[in-house]
């Protein structure tokens, strides 16, 4: 894809340099600062975008014209809209955004958006879209005009889904892929939710530890020797619990920033693939209906119908071939992405464990010394 | 004789009545057992039985150089017996028992006259003995209580045994012996109160010679035996004293040392034990009594079912019959033990560790017999609680000496404890709290002269609140841990599923490995949850209960104070009545009024002393409790840290193993 972008020179910034550097919250509106570096110079570009701009970009990608096989593309998934003012409905936000609602100051959310931009920019076809370039470079907001709700409106899809999802595929490859995808999408969603539960519990534990640690200070009493000894123990324990708290916080945040985001992305990507497969299935059904009506058609109309059928067939096979490529690309890239997240996660957990093992053994030493004193 | 053992006003019309009265009163009180034994023998020959015991063994012991010196007083005893009245003997005798330390230190004791003997009781006690006696008196007091309360039978059974064992005094006895000698030299006249001497010797000894001190003063059982022996010897010696005291010190020495030998040997019976106990007081590390409760087992069926626990003791204390022994006990037996202990010792201000609470819900679940995890958890929790309870009981130096404790640990079959229902845990605490509330009204009236107690009572209340708060925190911590472990398990499962439907073999493999790792981590969380629970939650619950018991101690002290004040008021009334009678010139009733005043004066003194004693005991107990608490918490913190460290090390291991798997994904 890098070759693609250099050959076409469509994208004027370096993909790997795309970063969301800052988030500011103004009432209900989150503004993201997106920084990137020009390809041909070291000059940096920084633009400010709201969620609406992201949505505009996504819609523009959906509605690209003159792009054969658009329906076969797995579009990088855009996280759903965050509603920061509804902070009182924390549980609702969690339900809607999952991991992305966690983390300090929308960090994980902007991380996910950043990842989205990078995915779009690395996509061999989508990176050529003008909308992306203007999104990244133009200092003015590009998408003030509401992008019309595209053909891929999720809501309408949900209704049709029931009817068409189970449609038998003509191609075994796609049939299998669909089954697998449904499976994986469900599983990865569950796994994400479960990991989210784990992280939430870790946060609760950190909180409980904090309370415990603070309360231990209440027991401090300097009246006599025994009380002083007891107070010492309490303070020590307070320190230890504080360490445990930090341990939980650290483990939790590394769960969140690595595997959490990874699984979230995975599950959203699976959804995106599902959507693409669904679009293809729709096309397939359309083709089949056309075929049927061509057979039924009267001789005078047959020619027109056959021409139409051919066009649809061509489109369908184009979509299928694009879809095949996309699926392959998706598989290899998701394995890679997951691998990186897993490694990062593992390393962070390892570091945390090592750090706290060290800390605990120091405390232990101190406690033992206190005992012998 | 009779007068000494009765509480009713004795027929002493003289001026020294109050003293005599109080002495005899207390003597009888503390040593009913002993004095009764004396009473058994007809008064003229009251010395007969002791003489037998006394005469026989000394020959063995003092066959060497001492024997000739020893024989001297011995003869004198025989000769002198008839001369003093049995009453005097009793006075002498009961007096020492009670005021042990005081009398012996008094210089006036030189005078053999029985009345004079009683006189110095009050005066010299604090001057001569100064600070240390506070504790020594306390110890004496505790031993008295022991003898009084429970050791009666033992005391009477054991002395003969001890006597027969006399011939083989070993290492420690020598110490005791020399100690006695030096003591005697300093205060030669004191020999008319051998008991005192002895008690005192035992009490003062710890300072210069811990080994000697430990052998006699620390163990109550042994101590009371001594006293028993002595009380019997006392008669002779005290009778002997009128003559003897004017004689040279040499004569005194053997006469005292004669009883010393049996004591020494009696303590040498259990030298290791006493030593152990001493050490236990100083540092628990060397305390050699391990109690573990294992194998909870359901006995019976239906609602009559109960849990039986195996109580295994491992010890080198010689007070036990063997080094290791095991008995089966049920929960109500534990409650019964507590009941017995608190009946006997709580009024003395001892802090009796409370047993775990009875849980009808938990037990019903067990009875119904569902093999669900919550009932298994309940059983384990109770097992651990009972274990800690017993360990606290035996680590109390005085409670360990209680025959009921020993019986509980050793005896195969215990009589079924009855009516533990009312007393079981929560009910008992409620009762305590109620008592505290009731007393708290009194507290306002009780002007606390002792700042220490004033502050401590406040401290205990505050601390209880803090601990309750902490307990809630820890509970929530434990619950969250459990939740975490549950969530981790579910996550592990879903990762495993994800792995199994993954196409990429390396990724699939990594995911299933990850699922395993998460499974192990779940185990870790679970362990940590139970660690949190057992190290902190249960610890805090224990200490909340213990603080309740501490408050119970304060209440006992308050009651003693109240008793004292009541007696004081009564005395005041009696005095007023006497004054009225005097004024009205009614000599016939005057005598009775005087008698009553005497009686109440004695009571006031007795109650005051009791109050002082209980104050001292409570204070000691609370200090001990505080010390134990700090130590206990520290130990638990260390344990907790160890478990944390272990968890982290396991985590490191798991992640280390997993990292290459993740890197192997292609």
């Amino acid at each position: 894809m890098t070759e693609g972008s250099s050959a076409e020179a469509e994208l004027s910034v370096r993909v790997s340099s795309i970063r969301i550097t800052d988030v500011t919250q103004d009432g209900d509106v989150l503004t993201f600062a997106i920084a990137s570096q020009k390809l041909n110079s070291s000059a940096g570009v920084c633009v400010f975008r709201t969620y609406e701009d992201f949505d505009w970009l996504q819609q523009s990608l959906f509605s690209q014209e003159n792009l054969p096989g658009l329906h076969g593309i797995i579009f990088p998934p855009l996280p759903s809209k965050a509603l920061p003012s509804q902070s009182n409905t924390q549980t609702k936000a969690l339900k809607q955004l999952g991991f992305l609602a966690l983390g300090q100051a929308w960090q994980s959310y902007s991380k996910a958006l950043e990842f989205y931009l990078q995915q779009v920019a690395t996509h061999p076809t989508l990176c050529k879209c003008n909308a992306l370039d203007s999104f990244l470079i133009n200092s003015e907001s590009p998408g003030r005009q509401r992008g019309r709700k595209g053909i891929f409106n999720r809501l309408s899809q949900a209704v049709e889904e029931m009817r068409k999802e189970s449609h038998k595929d003509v191609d075994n490859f796609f049939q299998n892929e669909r089954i697998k995808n449904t499976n994986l999408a469900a599983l990865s969603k569950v796994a994400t939710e479960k990991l989210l539960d784990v992280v939430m519990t870790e946060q609760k534990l950190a909180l409980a530890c904090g309370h415990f640690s603070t309360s231990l200070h209440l027991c401090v009493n300097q009246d006599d020797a025994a009380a002083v000894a007891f107070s010492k123990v309490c303070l020590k324990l307070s320190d230890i619990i504080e360490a445990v708290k930090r341990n939980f916080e650290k483990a939790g945040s590394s769960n969140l920033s690595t595997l959490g985001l990874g699984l979230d992305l995975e599950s959203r990507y699976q959804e995106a693939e599902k959507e693409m497969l669904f679009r293809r299935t729709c096309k397939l059904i359309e083709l089949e209906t056309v075929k049927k009506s061509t057979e039924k058609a009267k001789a005078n109309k047959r020619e027109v119908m056959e021409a139409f059928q051919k066009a649809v067939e061509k489109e369908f096979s184009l979509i299928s071939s694009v879809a095949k490529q996309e699926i392959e690309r998706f598989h290899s890239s998701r394995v890679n992405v997951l691998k990186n997240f897993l490694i990062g996660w593992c390393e962070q957990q390892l570091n945390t464990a090592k750090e706290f093992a060290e800390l605990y053994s120091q405390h232990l030493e101190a406690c033992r010394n206190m005992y012998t004193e | 004789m009779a007068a000494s053992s009765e509480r009713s006003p004795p027929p002493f019309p003289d001026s020294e009545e109050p003293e005599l009265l109080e002495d005899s009163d207390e003597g009888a009180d503390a040593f009913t057992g002993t004095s009764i034994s004396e009473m058994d023998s007809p008064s003229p020959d009251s010395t007969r039985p002791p003489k037998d015991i006394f005469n026989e063994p000394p020959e063995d012991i003092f066959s060497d150089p001492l024997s000739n010196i020893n024989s001297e007083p011995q003869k004198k005893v025989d000769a002198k017996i008839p001369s003093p009245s049995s009453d005097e003997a009793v006075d002498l005798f009961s007096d020492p028992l009670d005021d042990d330390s005081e009398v012996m230190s008094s210089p006036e004791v030189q005078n053999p006259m029985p009345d004079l003997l009683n006189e110095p009781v009050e005066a010299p006690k604090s001057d001569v003995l100064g600070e240390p006696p506070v504790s020594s008196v306390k110890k004496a007091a505790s031993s008295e209580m022991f003898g009084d309360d429970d050791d009666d039978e033992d005391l009477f059974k054991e002395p003969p045994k001890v006597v027969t064992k006399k011939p083989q005094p070993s290492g420690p006895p020598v110490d005791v012996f020399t100690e006695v000698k030096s003591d005697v030299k300093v205060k030669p006249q004191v020999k008319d109160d051998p008991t005192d001497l002895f008690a005192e010797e035992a009490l003062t000894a710890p300072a210069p010679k811990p080994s000697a001190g430990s052998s006699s003063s620390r163990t109550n059982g042994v101590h009371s035996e001594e006293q028993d022996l002595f009380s019997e010897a006392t008669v002779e010696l005290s009778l002997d004293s009128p003559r003897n005291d004017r004689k040279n010190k040499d004569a005194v020495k053997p006469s005292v040392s004669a009883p010393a030998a049996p004591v020494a040997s009696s303590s040498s019976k259990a030298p290791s034990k006493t030593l152990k106990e001493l050490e236990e007081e100083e540092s628990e590390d060397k305390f050699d009594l391990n109690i573990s409760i294992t194998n909870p087992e359901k006995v019976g069926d239906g609602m009559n079912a109960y849990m039986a626990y195996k109580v295994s003791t491992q010890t080198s204390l010689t007070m036990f019959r063997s080094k290791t022994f095991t008995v089966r006990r049920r929960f109500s037996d534990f409650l019964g033990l507590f009941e017995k202990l608190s009946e006997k010792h709580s009024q003395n201000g001892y802090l009796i560790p409370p047993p775990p609470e009875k849980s009808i819900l938990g037990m019903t679940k067990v009875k119904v017999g569902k093999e669900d995890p919550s009932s298994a958890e309940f059983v384990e929790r109770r097992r651990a609680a009972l274990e800690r309870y017993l360990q606290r009981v035996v680590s109390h130096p005085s409670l360990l000496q209680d025959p009921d404790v020993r019986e509980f640990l050793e005896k195969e079959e215990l009589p079924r404890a009855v009516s533990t229902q009312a007393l079981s845990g929560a009910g008992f605490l409620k009762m305590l709290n109620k008592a505290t509330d009731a007393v708290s009204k009194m507290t306002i009236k009780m002007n606390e002269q002792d700042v220490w107690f004033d502050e401590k009572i406040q401290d205990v209340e505050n601390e209880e609140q803090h601990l309750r708060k902490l307990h809630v925190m820890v509970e929530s911590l434990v619950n969250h841990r459990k939740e975490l472990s549950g969530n981790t398990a579910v996550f592990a499962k879903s990762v495993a599923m994800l792995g199994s439907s993954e196409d990429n073999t390396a990724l699939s493999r990594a995911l299933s490995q990850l699922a395993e790792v998460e499974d192990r981590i779940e185990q870790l969380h679970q362990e940590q949850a139970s660690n949190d629970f057992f190290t902190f939650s249960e610890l805090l619950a224990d200490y909340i209960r213990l603080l309740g018991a501490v408050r119970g101690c304060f209440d006992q002290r308050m009651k003693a104070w109240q008793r004292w004040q009541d007696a004081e008021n009564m005395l005041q009334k009696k005095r007023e009545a006497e004054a009225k009678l005097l004024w009205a010139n009614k000599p016939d009733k005057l005598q009775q009024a005087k008698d009553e005043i005497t009686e109440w004066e004695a009571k006031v003194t007795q109650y005051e002393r009791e109050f002082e004693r209980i104050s001292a005991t409570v204070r000691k107990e609370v200090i001990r409790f505080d010390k134990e608490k700090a130590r206990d918490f520290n130990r638990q913190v260390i344990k907790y840290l160890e478990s944390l460290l272990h968890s982290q090390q396991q985590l490191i291991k798991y992640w280390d193993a997993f990292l290459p798997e993740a890197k192997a994904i292609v």
Side-chain angles (χ1 to χ4, degrees):
Chain A
M1 104 276 111
T2 14
E3 314 98 63
S5 63
S6 60
E8 310 259 341
E10 292 279 1
L11 194 62
S12 52
V13 297
R14 220 171 288 163
V15 178
S16 56
S17 69
I18 300 174
R19 291 275 181 280
I20 292 185
T21 52
D22 193 28
V23 196
T24 49
Q25 184 180 342
D26 178 18
D28 218 354
V29 182
L30 290 175
T31 310
F32 304 91
I34 300 159
S36 51
Q37 264 190 328
K38 291 264 188 196
L39 265 186
N40 39 15
S41 73
S42 59
V45 192
C46 186
V47 290
F48 294 91
R49 298 286 180 257
T50 62
Y51 184 81
E52 277 66 36
D53 301 325
F54 278 96
D55 197 37
W56 169 84
L57 174 65
Q58 186 76 329
Q59 296 305 331
S60 314
L61 295 178
F62 286 161
S63 52
Q64 284 179 91
E65 280 157 33
N66 316 321
L67 198 62
L70 180 73
H71 289 252
I73 289 173
I74 301 175
F75 292 98
L78 179 68
S80 44
K81 189 177 180 184
L83 295 167
S85 67
Q86 293 174 344
S87 52
N88 52 338
T89 53
Q90 171 82 19
T91 43
K92 206 173 158 193
L94 271 177
K95 221 173 180 181
Q96 190 199 359
L97 293 174
F99 270 105
L100 306 185
L102 292 177
Q104 292 246 302
W106 300 99
Q107 259 177 11
S108 33
Y109 190 71
S110 35
K111 201 90 200 151
L113 285 179
E114 181 184 303
F115 211 82
Y116 161 77
L117 285 181
Q118 287 174 356
Q119 287 298 309
V120 174
T122 48
H123 196 280
T125 328
L126 296 180
C127 66
K128 290 167 198 149
C129 180
N130 294 326
L132 178 65
D133 205 41
S134 70
F135 179 87
L136 289 175
I137 291 168
N138 277 0
S139 56
E140 271 162 44
S141 250
R144 277 295 162 245
Q145 78 280 24
R146 274 289 80 81
R148 61 191 166 95
K149 282 292 167 201
I151 42 170
F152 314 119
N153 193 321
R154 279 167 198 233
L155 208 86
S156 58
Q157 182 193 326
V159 185
E160 283 175 277
E161 212 162 354
M162 310 300 286
R163 211 152 38 83
K164 296 179 181 171
E165 188 129 81
S166 52
H167 188 87
K168 178 107 178 61
D169 211 300
V170 287
D171 192 333
N172 261 342
F173 171 82
F174 284 103
Q175 184 66 33
N176 287 342
E177 188 60 28
R178 268 164 59 189
I179 292 169
K180 256 187 279 171
N181 167 260
T182 320
N183 210 351
L184 275 179
L187 284 176
S188 59
K189 194 156 186 245
V190 170
T192 313
E193 277 164 8
K194 295 311 162 197
L195 184 63
L196 182 63
D197 284 347
V198 170
V199 172
M200 293 300 289
T201 319
E202 276 169 339
Q203 288 187 343
K204 273 193 238 165
L205 263 171
L207 207 65
C209 283
H211 288 317
F212 186 31
S213 158
T214 323
S215 305
L216 276 168
H217 283 272
L218 285 177
C219 294
V220 174
N221 181 341
Q222 305 286 348
D223 277 356
D224 50 62
V228 168
F230 183 62
S231 303
K232 257 191 196 164
V233 176
C234 283
L235 287 180
K236 193 79 212 163
L237 183 59
S238 173
D239 288 348
I240 292 160
I241 298 294
E242 184 67 30
V244 175
K245 178 194 168 194
R246 271 185 290 127
N247 191 353
F248 277 124
E249 279 172 352
K250 209 155 184 188
S253 74
S254 71
N255 277 343
L256 166 68
S257 64
T258 55
L259 193 66
L261 282 184
L263 277 177
D264 181 71
L265 185 72
E266 161 77 4
S267 95
R268 279 185 295 120
Y269 247 113
Q270 292 289 354
E271 283 299 320
E273 192 200 0
K274 198 183 202 173
E275 276 170 34
M276 183 277 285
L277 288 169
F278 176 70
R279 291 192 297 267
R280 196 192 140 272
T281 312
C282 289
K283 210 74 204 168
L284 175 66
I285 291 169
E286 189 189 334
L287 176 62
E288 278 167 4
T289 23
V290 169
K291 266 184 187 164
K292 263 182 212 156
S293 47
T294 317
E295 275 164 27
K296 282 182 205 154
K298 303 254 161 53
N300 57 340
K301 281 194 180 171
R302 179 160 288 211
E303 226 158 87
V304 186
M305 287 304 289
E306 271 173 357
F308 182 58
Q309 187 194 334
K310 270 214 176 102
V312 175
E313 244 168 26
K314 198 183 160 200
E315 197 186 351
F316 176 70
S317 66
L318 191 65
I319 288 173
S320 291
S321 70
V322 169
K324 247 179 205 170
Q325 281 174 23
E326 278 285 297
I327 286 169
E328 258 160 46
R329 187 180 162 275
F330 166 65
H331 281 321
S332 71
S333 91
R334 72 175 264 276
V335 167
N336 218 17
V337 166
L338 272 181
K339 174 191 170 179
N340 287 335
F341 275 122
L342 273 178
I343 291 174
W345 182 52
C346 189
E347 278 168 350
Q348 282 197 26
Q349 295 286 11
L350 200 54
N351 285 340
T352 312
K354 276 179 181 158
E355 182 190 331
F356 283 94
E358 175 69 18
L359 193 60
Y360 292 150
S361 61
Q362 278 171 15
H363 277 305
L364 189 59
E365 191 72 16
C367 271
R368 285 199 173 124
N369 287 338
M370 201 155 81
Y371 193 51
T372 50
E373 258 165 32
Chain B
M1 218 46 178
S4 72
S5 56
E6 269 175 30
R7 264 173 180 265
S8 59
F12 289 123
D14 304 12
S15 58
E16 83 265 9
E17 236 180 71
E19 254 108 10
L20 270 171
L21 246 182
E22 123 208 346
D23 291 334
S24 56
D25 232 24
E26 278 192 43
D29 212 13
F31 263 78
T32 15
T34 335
S35 34
I36 285 164
S37 81
E38 292 302 321
M39 282 163 61
D40 288 346
S41 52
S43 60
D45 306 41
S46 59
T47 50
R48 198 86 274 166
K51 198 180 69 191
D52 288 348
I53 303 170
F54 200 61
N55 278 343
E56 261 180 306
E59 287 164 15
D60 295 340
I61 305 170
F62 298 101
S63 52
D64 276 351
L66 286 171
S67 63
N68 45 355
I69 316 168
N70 194 30
S71 57
E72 212 181 349
Q74 222 58 294
K75 281 170 211 152
K76 241 159 243 153
V77 171
D78 288 355
K80 273 295 144 190
I81 293 163
S83 74
S85 75
S86 62
D87 253 344
E88 283 164 325
V90 171
D91 288 343
L92 282 166
F93 163 53
S94 56
D95 176 32
L97 287 175
D98 181 39
D99 302 302
D100 19 27
S101 45
E102 296 110 59
V103 176
M104 68 141 307
S105 55
S106 71
E108 285 105 311
V109 187
Q110 286 172 1
N111 196 322
M113 292 309 287
D115 6 342
L116 279 177
L117 250 178
N118 291 315
E119 295 268 17
V121 164
E122 296 282 292
K125 81 169 170 190
S126 50
D127 316 355
V128 180
L129 291 172
E131 208 23 51
V134 176
S135 65
S136 57
V137 171
K138 218 188 298 161
K139 276 168 198 156
S142 70
S143 62
E144 272 173 33
M145 284 153 197
F146 261 88
D148 179 21
D149 288 338
D150 38 85
D151 269 354
D152 293 11
E153 287 176 316
D154 285 4
L155 287 176
F156 283 96
K157 278 179 225 146
E158 273 166 58
K161 258 190 274 163
V162 175
V163 172
T164 51
K165 274 186 187 175
K166 269 189 276 180
Q168 345 123 346
S170 52
V174 177
D175 286 350
V176 177
F177 197 62
T178 52
E179 187 63 26
V180 172
K181 269 189 199 164
S182 61
D183 248 276
V184 172
K185 267 175 212 154
V186 179
K187 304 151 188 168
Q189 257 63 45
V190 190
K191 46 134 165 70
D192 39 13
D193 312 349
T195 338
D196 296 354
L197 226 189
F198 229 73
E200 175 59 7
E201 179 271 322
L203 299 165
T204 48
K209 282 198 182 180
S211 65
S214 74
S215 56
S216 45
S217 72
R218 299 282 179 164
T219 61
N220 284 303
V222 172
H223 192 71
S224 13
E225 280 163 22
E226 287 162 30
Q227 279 180 327
D228 213 4
L229 268 173
F230 273 109
S231 58
E232 280 164 52
T234 312
V235 182
E236 290 170 322
L237 288 162
S238 51
L239 292 178
D240 164 33
S241 61
R243 284 284 174 81
N244 214 21
D245 68 310
R246 292 267 144 70
K247 296 211 161 192
N248 50 26
K249 293 169 188 177
D250 297 353
V252 178
K253 244 189 272 175
S255 73
V256 174
S257 57
V263 170
S265 57
S266 78
S267 56
S268 80
K269 234 179 32 163
S272 60
K273 159 185 113 190
T274 48
L275 249 143
K276 281 279 148 50
E277 263 147 45
L278 182 66
E279 281 165 359
E280 186 270 321
E281 274 231 308
E282 252 96 68
S283 80
E284 212 153 288
D285 299 346
K286 292 167 201 161
F287 177 64
D288 186 25
L289 182 62
N290 284 321
I291 291 185
S292 56
I293 295 179
T294 48
N295 297 20
E297 214 174 68
K298 203 169 116 178
V299 179
D301 276 313
M303 286 322 276
N304 287 325
Y306 62 89
M307 295 299 296
Y309 304 86
K310 205 166 124 187
V311 180
S312 315
T313 314
Q314 199 179 27
T315 181
S316 61
L317 301 190
T318 43
M319 64 184 276
F320 295 103
R321 263 177 251 137
S322 51
K323 283 198 191 310
T324 54
F325 39 89
T326 304
V327 287
R328 287 201 79 77
R329 295 283 179 258
R330 53 183 292 183
F331 184 63
S332 53
D333 293 336
F334 287 86
L335 293 185
L337 175 66
F338 171 71
E339 197 177 18
K340 281 181 199 160
L341 290 178
S342 39
E343 228 167 65
K344 272 186 265 176
H345 302 297
S346 67
Q347 83 258 26
N348 298 331
Y350 280 124
L351 179 66
I352 319 241
E357 282 150 33
K358 208 161 190 166
S359 160
I360 291 163
L361 181 75
M363 208 40 215
T364 312
K365 262 189 189 167
V366 173
K367 278 174 182 169
V368 170
K370 286 233 173 80
E371 288 293 320
D372 67 333
S374 76
S375 85
E377 197 186 287
F378 167 77
V379 170
E380 166 58 18
R381 184 178 169 186
R382 171 165 282 181
R383 184 205 64 73
L386 288 174
E387 193 173 273
R388 288 192 308 273
Y389 159 65
L390 262 196
Q391 280 163 353
R392 283 207 180 92
V393 169
V394 299
S395 69
H396 192 296
S398 310
L399 294 184
L400 177 62
Q401 297 305 317
D402 191 285
D404 277 323
V405 173
R406 223 178 306 170
E407 204 170 69
F408 183 88
L409 294 177
E410 271 186 328
K411 207 173 172 190
E412 205 55 58
E413 288 290 324
L414 271 191
R416 177 96 168 76
V418 281
S419 70
T420 51
Q421 212 81 24
L423 183 111
S424 57
F428 174 74
L429 277 186
K430 246 175 244 158
M431 205 174 74
L432 262 187
N433 285 339
K434 232 182 255 167
T436 316
D437 290 345
V439 172
S440 65
K441 279 171 207 146
M442 259 156 55
T443 323
I444 307 158
K445 276 188 276 165
M446 174 175 183
N447 69 74
E448 183 66 77
Q449 314 93 320
D450 197 330
V451 188
W452 189 87
F453 274 104
D454 211 18
E455 280 176 1
K456 212 66 203 174
I457 289 168
Q458 201 53 46
D459 281 355
V460 165
E461 256 160 47
N462 288 340
E463 196 171 348
E464 201 174 334
Q465 275 176 3
H466 294 156
L467 290 191
R468 276 183 203 285
K469 215 179 226 173
L470 286 184
H471 191 241
V472 173
M473 306 265 169
V474 175
E475 292 276 272
S476 82
L477 199 68
V478 169
N479 287 337
H480 286 320
R481 276 261 199 221
K482 282 182 183 159
E483 194 185 323
L484 181 59
S485 128
N487 285 340
T488 312
V490 177
F491 176 62
K493 211 173 273 171
S494 69
V495 168
M497 300 262 284
L498 197 62
S500 67
S501 41
E502 176 59 55
D503 266 354
N504 184 306
T505 37
L507 184 59
S508 164
R509 199 180 126 89
L511 284 176
S512 30
Q513 292 280 331
L514 177 62
E516 254 173 62
V517 168
E518 287 292 327
D519 261 335
R520 289 205 193 109
I521 291 175
E522 184 248 321
Q523 284 298 315
L524 273 187
H525 285 318
Q526 208 164 3
E527 279 164 30
Q528 197 60 55
S530 70
N531 268 329
D532 283 2
F533 181 73
F534 281 112
T535 37
F536 289 129
S537 180
E538 290 286 85
L539 177 79
L540 287 169
D542 277 5
Y543 272 92
I544 290 169
R545 268 205 300 273
L546 279 167
L547 283 175
V550 170
R551 295 213 309 208
C553 288
F554 288 143
D555 290 348
Q556 292 292 345
R557 178 175 165 270
M558 199 90 80
K559 273 185 205 155
W561 186 81
Q562 195 64 31
R563 209 160 41 225
W564 172 32
Q565 294 304 308
D566 288 349
E568 196 91 67
N569 288 339
M570 190 54 100
L571 178 62
Q572 197 58 40
K573 272 183 203 155
K574 296 285 176 199
R575 278 195 176 131
E576 280 163 17
E578 189 207 17
K580 265 182 204 159
L581 285 172
L582 216 67
W583 192 71
N585 201 11
K586 285 180 185 165
D588 49 331
K589 285 188 183 169
L590 201 59
Q591 188 52 49
Q592 197 198 338
K594 271 189 175 156
D595 286 351
E596 273 179 3
I597 287 175
T598 321
E599 179 195 344
W600 280 100
E601 272 172 352
K603 275 187 183 162
V604 165
T605 326
Q606 183 202 340
Y607 289 151
E608 184 181 359
R609 210 172 288 167
E610 262 169 28
F611 172 70
E612 269 158 21
R613 193 189 296 154
I614 203 172
S615 295
T617 313
V618 168
R619 194 175 169 132
K620 198 179 127 207
E621 287 285 286
V622 170
I623 289 172
R624 181 177 172 275
F625 168 80
D626 277 344
K627 242 191 215 159
E628 285 285 304
K629 185 180 64 181
R631 200 183 291 170
D632 216 6
F633 270 75
N634 198 328
R635 218 177 309 148
Q636 297 299 327
V637 169
I638 288 176
K639 228 166 119 190
Y640 181 67
L641 267 178
E642 279 167 352
S643 76
L644 278 181
L645 192 60
H646 174 76
S647 299
Q648 293 300 318
Q649 280 161 349
Q650 291 298 108
L651 275 181
I652 293 173
K653 232 170 76 188
Y654 299 156
W655 290 123
D656 259 340
F658 177 69
L659 193 56
E661 288 290 337
K663 284 185 172 156
I665 301 171
V666 227

